[in-house]
Amino acid sequence: MTDKDLTDHKFYHAGEESRFTEEAPDRTPQTEHPAYKLAFRDHDFLLRDELRPVRFQLELLKPEMLLDEARVGSTMVMYGSARIPAPEEAQAKIDAAKNGTEYEQKVAERLAEKAKYYQEAYKLARLITEKAIIEDGKRQFVITTGGGPSIMEAGNRGASDAGGESIGLNIVLPHEQAPNTYVTPYLSLNFHYFALRKMHFLLRARAVAVFPGGFGTFDEFFELLTLIQTGKMKAVPILLFGKDFWTRVVDFEAIAEEGTISKKDLELFRWCETAEDAWDHIAEFYNLD
C-alpha cells in the first residue's frame, strides 16, 4: 500500500496507534501518568461505573462478531442443572453421601436418578451435530450451553464426540466456574452481565431444550416463555425434559386455572423424555427431513 492507493485507509488503525504509544522514546511525568493513556487501553478507566453502558455494548458486540466470523447461523440451546451427575458418576454421588444426614442421602439419590437426563442431553447434542445442517453457507443448530458442568457439559460433550464444535457462554461468578473441557476453545465466551449472556443465548436460538435444573434454569426457561408469550420473540421449539420433575416443582395447570396465564400458554413448550422425541418435534416444526 502507498499513500496514493484509493482503497487504503488514510487514518492509522487503533492497533497501530497503540503500538506507536508503546514505542514512543520519551518517558516523562506527563506520558507516564494514567491520564495520558489512550482511553481504550486504560483498564481502570474502562472499569469505572460511568463506563457501564460501554461495557454492555462490548459484551453485546464481541460474541456477536466472533459467532459471525465462525459462520454460526443458528443455535440449539441447552439449559439445565450444574449438579446432575453423568451416569458413570451417579453411584459415586450416592456412596459419598452414605455417612451424611438423611436429607443429604435423599438428595444424592434424587440427583443420581436424574443422570438419565445427562445422557439424553448428550444424545441430543450428538444427534443434532451429526446432522451438520448448513444453510446459506452457515452452520445451523450449533449446540450452545452455559459452558459449565453437568447438563451443560453433556451438551458440549455430545457435540465434541460427534466431531463438531459447540459454544459455551460462561459467566464470571464469585466462585469461579471454569468452562468444561468439551467447549470449542474459540467459541468459549465469558460474560460479566447475566442480561447480555441471556440475550446471546436467544439471539440465534432456533430450538431450546430445558432439562431439570435450579434457579438459573428456571430463570432462563421462564424468561423464554415470557418473551414468546408476549410476542417479543417468535416461537421456537421449547423442549421440556423431565415431566415428573417439572410437574412436581411447578404446577403449570394450577397457574392456568388461577387465570394468571391462559390454557393455551401451556402449548408453548413440548414435553420430552428422549433425544429422539426432541428432534422429531424440531424436524416437524421446521419441516426438516
Side-chain angles (χ1 to χ4, degrees):
M1 291 286 186
T2 70
D3 291 342
K4 295 183 179 181
D5 287 324
L6 294 175
T7 58
D8 188 22
H9 290 278
K10 299 308 176 187
F11 290 93
Y12 290 107
H13 289 288
E16 292 177 291
E17 295 224 330
S18 182
R19 179 168 52 82
F20 295 160
T21 65
E22 293 176 354
E23 297 174 352
D26 295 331
R27 292 289 182 244
T28 69
Q30 290 77 21
T31 63
E32 292 294 301
H33 195 280
Y36 193 74
K37 287 184 180 179
L38 289 167
F40 57 82
R41 296 196 64 198
D42 189 337
H43 188 257
D44 291 334
F45 173 68
L46 290 173
L47 294 181
R48 289 175 59 156
D49 285 348
E50 298 92 333
L51 271 291
R52 184 174 290 116
V54 175
R55 295 196 298 273
F56 262 66
Q57 187 174 20
L58 291 173
E59 282 208 348
L60 175 63
L61 278 173
K62 182 181 177 181
E64 188 74 357
M65 292 168 67
L66 291 177
L67 295 179
D68 277 342
E69 291 168 2
R71 308 297 294 171
V72 174
S74 68
T75 57
M76 169 75 218
V77 175
M78 304 178 78
Y79 294 143
S81 174
R83 303 185 184 192
I84 293 173
E88 62 270 23
E89 299 168 355
Q91 187 58 47
K93 182 170 283 289
I94 293 174
D95 294 341
K98 279 184 177 177
N99 295 323
T101 64
E102 183 178 345
Y103 169 78
E104 290 169 336
Q105 292 176 32
K106 186 174 182 179
V107 167
E109 290 170 1
R110 287 192 176 278
L111 286 172
E113 289 171 2
K114 295 180 184 65
K116 61 185 179 183
Y117 295 116
Y118 181 107
Q119 187 65 18
E120 292 307 321
Y122 171 88
K123 287 168 59 180
L124 178 60
R126 182 162 189 162
L127 184 159
I128 289 176
T129 303
E130 287 173 344
K131 292 186 180 296
I133 299 173
I134 304 290
E135 192 173 289
D136 294 331
K138 295 183 179 181
R139 295 181 285 171
Q140 307 299 323
F141 297 105
V142 177
I143 300 301
T144 301
T145 79
S150 190
I151 295 297
M152 294 172 279
E153 176 190 273
N156 298 119
R157 184 178 179 182
S160 178
D161 286 357
E165 297 182 333
S166 66
I167 301 164
L169 304 183
N170 219 275
I171 189 153
V172 177
L173 299 173
H175 304 288
E176 181 63 28
Q177 174 185 280
N180 69 68
T181 58
Y182 300 100
V183 179
T184 302
Y186 83 104
L187 297 176
S188 182
L189 307 174
N190 202 15
F191 290 83
H192 171 60
Y193 297 107
F194 264 111
L196 272 298
R197 178 178 181 249
K198 290 199 290 183
M199 178 178 286
H200 278 291
F201 268 127
L202 299 180
L203 279 175
R204 284 174 163 80
R206 294 298 175 269
V208 179
V210 185
F211 293 85
F215 288 157
T217 303
F218 276 57
D219 176 41
E220 293 155 346
F221 173 46
F222 280 100
E223 181 169 6
L224 172 59
L225 289 177
T226 302
L227 288 168
I228 295 177
Q229 181 206 45
T230 58
K232 292 292 288 183
M233 177 179 172
K234 294 179 181 178
V236 298
I238 302 175
L239 314 157
L240 193 55
F241 280 77
K243 189 172 184 178
D244 287 346
F245 168 82
W246 286 106
T247 53
R248 182 169 181 266
V249 298
V250 181
D251 195 334
F252 295 101
E253 294 290 341
I255 301 173
E257 289 170 3
E258 290 294 326
T260 52
I261 64 171
S262 72
K263 190 79 170 176
K264 192 170 181 61
D265 290 332
L266 300 181
E267 298 174 10
L268 293 175
F269 56 85
R270 176 70 63 92
W271 293 112
C272 292
E273 292 299 329
T274 68
E276 291 77 16
D277 289 343
W279 174 252
D280 286 346
H281 181 52
I282 293 170
E284 179 185 358
F285 189 94
Y286 290 109
N287 295 316
L288 301 173
D289 295 332

